[in-house]
Amino acid sequence: MINFHPNMQQLDLFVAGNVEPSVALIFSAHIDMCHKCRQKCQKLQQIQSIEALSENIRVATDLSSMLHGITALPQSQDVVVKPSQYKPLELDGKKFELPRTLKRYVQHTGNWSRLVGKLWQAPVDLGYMGKANFIYMENGGKVPEHTHKGTELTLVIDGQYSDGLADYDCGDFTLLDGQHKHQPHSDVDGGCLVFTIVDKPLHFTAGIARLLNPFSHLFF
Ligand SMILES: [Zn+2]
């Protein structure tokens, strides 16, 4: 069950197109998985269109030409690829079902690398939006305790994990920053796959993992 969602203010900015493209991507992927946020976004969209329309009517001298302008706007730039054309995300013969928004990025996902602590990482090239990672924690897998120099956006794609702050399930979204110190780990059969975007390297804080700091770009 999904317990962690973007907040109302974040969704409002998202619907208005006022969030970073990479943030919009992870919000869209969450919304693919979350009917509650889908409904909230539809409502926000209606409110924003009514506000925009009444503003436009106030300034438009010719409503019909304005409406023509709206309908003549270019459609979404997305290249339509049939679902069957998407490759599934695979690791060691295990196939993962991705939210619709992320399916197209499988072809931009690099090879899996096995890291210490029963962790796997595959980098995702988001083009002009930067980069992201799929991180897979095997059952018993652990990311060393760390804090963040920037922000860390995470969406659970499959399985469950905990990080000392909370327990997360499939579809849960979190945004953490320098105020949060945590240690993600998965202790469930089948482990946990997350999609994560960090805008600055992680900072490992505890024990021998501090020695990992020179390699913190691995997660970046
Ligand atoms: Zn939600």
Side-chain angles (χ1 to χ4, degrees):
M1 185 185 154
I2 303 178
N3 282 314
F4 296 89
H5 311 260
N7 64 34
M8 212 50 184
Q9 190 192 5
Q10 288 166 336
L11 289 179
D12 195 44
L13 290 169
F14 165 72
V15 170
N18 289 332
V19 295
E20 292 285 319
S22 57
V23 177
L25 177 79
I26 203 163
F27 280 6
S28 298
H30 169 81
I31 290 161
D32 287 341
M33 303 171 87
C34 177
H35 73 277
K36 280 188 190 162
C37 285
R38 215 153 44 229
Q39 284 174 345
K40 282 183 195 165
C41 285
Q42 280 164 356
K43 282 214 180 91
L44 287 167
Q45 220 155 19
Q46 285 168 357
I47 295 167
Q48 287 183 15
S49 343
I50 291 166
E51 283 170 1
L53 192 64
S54 56
E55 175 71 9
N56 283 336
I57 288 169
R58 216 157 47 80
V59 294
T61 50
D62 184 351
L63 181 61
S64 68
S65 77
M66 187 196 81
L67 288 173
H68 175 75
I70 290 171
T71 52
L73 281 175
Q75 297 300 306
S76 156
Q77 303 276 318
D78 290 349
V79 178
V80 179
V81 182
K82 287 183 189 150
S84 60
Q85 290 176 263
Y86 291 120
K87 284 192 304 172
L89 184 70
E90 278 191 75
L91 171 61
D92 255 4
K94 200 170 150 68
K95 289 186 184 173
F96 295 100
E97 183 62 32
L98 299 183
R100 199 174 57 98
T101 304
L102 297 184
K103 283 184 200 282
R104 78 192 68 168
Y105 290 99
V106 173
Q107 57 186 321
H108 302 297
T109 300
N111 291 330
W112 287 102
S113 327
R114 189 171 193 161
L115 309 175
V116 288
K118 296 188 175 180
L119 295 177
W120 297 79
Q121 175 199 29
V124 188
D125 181 0
L126 303 179
Y128 75 96
M129 293 185 276
K131 52 188 178 170
N133 280 293
F134 284 110
I135 304 281
Y136 177 69
M137 295 171 249
E138 292 175 23
N139 185 357
K142 215 174 251 183
V143 179
E145 185 186 73
H146 63 271
T147 181
H148 315 90
K149 291 181 184 167
T151 52
E152 178 189 85
L153 305 166
T154 304
L155 179 67
V156 183
I157 305 294
D158 189 82
Q160 291 98 31
Y161 81 98
S162 308
D163 67 352
L165 302 173
D167 302 322
Y168 308 96
D169 204 347
C170 201
D172 274 334
F173 162 80
T174 52
L175 191 166
L176 300 181
D177 59 23
Q179 298 170 10
H180 308 95
K181 195 164 33 163
H182 70 155
Q183 186 177 28
H185 61 277
S186 182
D187 298 312
V188 295
D189 288 344
C192 186
L193 176 74
V194 301
F195 178 77
T196 181
I197 301 176
V198 291
D199 59 1
K200 297 225 172 77
L202 306 183
H203 184 75
F204 295 106
T205 44
I208 201 154
R210 277 180 299 171
L211 298 174
L212 281 173
N213 276 325
F215 306 101
S216 59
H217 64 276
L218 273 176
F219 295 90
F220 177 47

